[in-house]
Amino acid sequence: MNIAVVGTGYVGLVTGVGLSEIGHNVICIDTDENKVQKMKEGKSPIYEPGLDELMVKNIEAGRLHFTTQHAEAFKEVDVIYIAVGTPENEDGTANLTYINQVAQQIAQIIKKDIVVVTKSTVPVGTNHYIKKKLKENVSSHLNVEVVSNPEFLREGSAVYDIFHGDRIVIGADNKKAGEIIRKVNEPFGIPIFETDIRSAEMIKYASNAFLATKISFINEIANICEKVGADVEEVAFGMGMDSRVGNQFLKAGIGYGGSCFPKDTKALKKIAENVEYDFSLLSAVIEFNNKQQRKLIDQALKDFSSLEGKTIGVLGLAFKPNTDDIREAASLAIIPELIKMGANVKAYDPVAIENAKKVLPEEVQYVGSALEAIEGTDLVFILTEWDEIKSLPLEIFAEKMKSAFVYDGRNCFSLKVVQEHEINYYSIGRRLSNKQDLIIESK
Ligand code: UGA
């Protein structure tokens, strides 16, 4: 099938490449000329493991193309995917400016019947709105149908996810359009769930909000574990053995970040508010996550009365490993605060430094290795669990730091191994057994 994908961010590019890999003829559109030039050469503008190789393969096979011209891209296609951004408005609602622009362009250009597929995460009702906009603007003899097909890819493992997802959700109110999109997706070999448009739109928000809730839940349990002397990793493992709970998304840490959970939880809260429903559980999840991102600072302030003049090494800036994305990362909540308190910050990340430089205070000093970030510091904060960081030999903290105070927000090291080293180590929801035993008085 001939397919156009509008928008080559994380979602659009991986979708376009994935569709070409299963045999479709795909043209991806982006307004940024430099980006398009780079992609034509098989170079992804985002860091996503495995993506470049797949781009090169499908460009060479003649199935994957890139352009800045909507008119050129829409000429021969049967299906147009919308994968443009829906950034957050100040009030937490999703900003639909880009979606509106694309709908207008499609209406102006197309000359044959078409199915428009919305990949972008959009509030319930948006696909109907897009269909109305299209119908108002296309010639009356053309048939335009809209299908919701939310994406469930994770950054950093998007290439794996697109071929191994748990389900593909297709929301269609028109049977024929739903059937066409089913045919497009069948070669992925992933179970397909067909439903109505509004339910498909809600599945996306509800899934992300549920996963965010699961993370906040285990993080609250972690905080209690610290106080009662339990180990959150043991607790999560024991909970996860119950298939009703499931063992994923129970990793305690300094909260969730990224371009999806923070934005989508706030947008869902707003969707509820708009129909006069107070989603109080989700409000608590959001509020708690904001607090949890600060957890390491709270602990450091318990150990040191002030952080003024202290040199702090930060390991990891990305919101999670295997990505250069720093949107809503814990590093953005923590580092500006450390600077405000008068600390000197030395930061390292394997790939996210360039992105971090654009938004973090200019006082931050960036270094080229984990070792440099650790050397000569009073405290080290671990914010992202990159493999490179998890495999650091623990003796370097004692050897290289001024005083070895390590605050691990991602539980990178086994407590058993930590105990063999002369370091003051704090992690989330776990307690070193050589610390004085807690006495919990029963009341
Ligand atoms: C998330 C969803 O997992 C995808 O299914 C969805 O498609 C995507 O949002 C989206 O809406 O586009 P992503 O944000 O890329 O994907 O990353 P995740 O792997 O879900 O991690 C999100 C955050 O949760 C990270 O900060 C991570 O450190 C944190 N997390 C995750 C935990 O703190 N604990 C866990 O157990 C899992």
Side-chain angles (χ1 to χ4, degrees):
M1 195 140 345
N2 291 327
I3 299 174
V5 180
V6 190
T8 59
Y10 289 93
V11 176
L13 185 55
V14 178
T15 301
V17 175
L19 289 168
S20 68
E21 174 70 11
I22 57 167
H24 298 296
N25 189 28
V26 179
I27 182 154
C28 299
I29 308 145
D30 203 289
T31 46
D32 184 331
E33 292 222 13
N34 288 334
K35 228 171 125 181
V36 167
Q37 194 46 45
K38 219 173 148 190
M39 291 188 289
K40 279 182 174 170
E41 291 161 20
K43 291 181 198 137
S44 159
I46 50 165
Y47 177 81
E48 191 61 50
L51 190 54
D52 283 6
E53 292 84 335
L54 222 49
M55 281 172 76
V56 171
K57 179 181 166 199
N58 286 288
I59 291 170
E60 283 174 0
R63 288 190 298 260
L64 181 62
H65 314 268
F66 297 93
T67 181
T68 52
Q69 304 302 315
H70 293 77
E72 177 197 334
F74 294 164
K75 229 179 351 194
E76 298 296 334
V77 296
D78 313 291
V79 176
I80 300 175
Y81 277 72
I82 305 183
V84 292
T86 50
E88 194 180 318
N89 284 321
E90 263 177 29
D91 64 355
T93 53
N95 182 326
L96 301 179
T97 312
Y98 301 122
I99 295 268
N100 276 324
Q101 278 170 7
V102 180
Q104 248 168 30
Q105 277 152 338
I106 294 174
Q108 279 161 11
I109 296 169
I110 58 157
K111 302 239 166 351
K112 58 187 247 197
D113 292 353
I114 206 131
V115 180
V116 172
V117 182
T118 313
K119 267 276 160 201
S120 308
T121 302
V122 291
V124 182
T126 308
N127 277 281
H128 283 108
Y129 167 80
I130 295 174
K131 183 168 176 181
K132 192 166 151 268
K133 283 258 146 210
L134 287 166
K135 290 255 170 201
E136 278 168 11
N137 294 298
V138 291
S139 330
S140 55
H141 68 283
L142 292 180
N143 187 29
V144 183
E145 290 300 336
V146 176
V147 169
S148 164
N149 173 217
E151 64 81 26
F152 302 103
L153 308 170
R154 291 163 302 174
E155 284 178 28
S157 50
V159 172
Y160 176 85
D161 289 350
I162 197 157
F163 302 111
H164 302 89
D166 290 330
R167 79 305 203 188
I168 289 171
V169 173
I170 297 176
D173 292 349
N174 175 285
K175 211 163 168 260
K176 199 169 154 217
E179 200 47 41
I180 293 172
I181 301 313
R182 165 186 272 278
K183 286 244 151 59
V184 166
N185 283 281
E186 265 168 1
F188 280 120
I190 292 171
I192 293 177
F193 175 58
E194 284 173 274
T195 183
D196 61 281
I197 289 182
R198 284 174 197 270
S199 302
E201 290 169 329
M202 188 52 122
I203 286 170
K204 171 66 190 192
Y205 280 107
S207 300
N208 273 2
F210 184 77
L211 293 172
T213 304
K214 213 172 167 188
I215 297 170
S216 280
F217 184 86
I218 199 65
N219 283 338
E220 293 237 56
I221 294 291
N223 293 350
I224 302 167
C225 282
E226 279 176 32
K227 289 184 186 282
V228 299
D231 182 321
V232 72
E233 284 180 357
E234 298 291 310
V235 174
F237 190 86
M239 284 169 67
M241 286 174 80
D242 184 331
S243 58
R244 294 169 304 174
V245 176
N247 58 13
Q248 294 190 55
F249 277 70
L250 285 178
K251 196 166 181 326
I254 45 173
Y256 59 79
S259 63
C260 305
F261 289 172
K263 171 171 78 76
D264 293 351
T265 45
K266 279 186 251 169
L268 180 54
K269 196 180 147 212
K270 204 74 202 167
I271 291 168
E273 255 171 55
N274 289 343
V275 287
E276 283 158 33
Y277 187 85
D278 174 19
F279 198 160
S280 54
L281 176 61
L282 193 58
S283 303
V285 166
I286 296 166
E287 203 182 308
F288 170 74
N289 192 62
N290 292 339
K291 261 198 283 177
Q292 189 72 359
Q293 284 197 322
R294 279 188 44 101
K295 193 94 214 288
L296 300 185
I297 299 185
D298 295 342
Q299 183 62 34
L301 286 173
K302 279 186 195 156
D303 298 336
F304 298 84
S305 51
S306 157
L307 297 179
E308 193 171 356
K310 300 277 184 230
T311 302
I312 302 180
V314 172
L315 299 180
L317 297 165
F319 83 95
K320 66 172 192 178
N322 297 324
T323 177
D324 59 353
D325 195 345
I326 56 154
R327 285 176 285 179
E328 305 276 343
S331 61
L332 303 194
I334 293 171
I335 294 176
E337 197 152 338
L338 295 177
I339 301 276
K340 230 189 273 165
M341 287 175 184
N344 307 306
V345 174
K346 280 208 282 182
Y348 169 69
D349 188 285
V351 295
I353 288 179
E354 284 315 309
N355 284 337
K357 276 183 184 166
K358 295 176 202 154
V359 289
L360 284 176
E362 56 185 22
E363 290 90 337
V364 178
Q365 184 198 344
Y366 298 95
V367 291
S369 69
L371 193 60
E372 278 176 86
I374 293 168
E375 202 148 27
T377 54
D378 301 289
L379 301 84
V380 161
F381 279 22
I382 301 177
L383 308 188
T384 319
E385 67 276 34
W386 285 97
D387 279 345
E388 181 188 333
I389 292 167
K390 287 199 293 193
S391 57
L392 285 170
L394 277 165
E395 50 273 18
I396 65 166
F397 293 103
E399 281 167 15
K400 304 285 177 191
M401 291 176 69
K402 262 197 261 169
S403 55
F405 278 83
V406 178
Y407 298 84
D408 181 356
R410 299 291 175 191
N411 293 2
C412 289
F413 301 106
S414 128
L415 288 186
K416 219 166 138 236
V417 180
V418 170
Q419 254 148 11
E420 293 160 8
H421 294 84
E422 287 297 302
I423 57 175
N424 297 291
Y425 179 79
Y426 169 78
S427 61
I428 308 293
R430 308 184 302 170
R431 206 164 50 91
L432 284 168
S433 61
N434 61 359
K435 293 257 167 83
Q436 200 186 4
D437 260 336
L438 279 180
I439 299 166
I440 306 159
E441 286 178 18
S442 52
K443 288 193 179 155

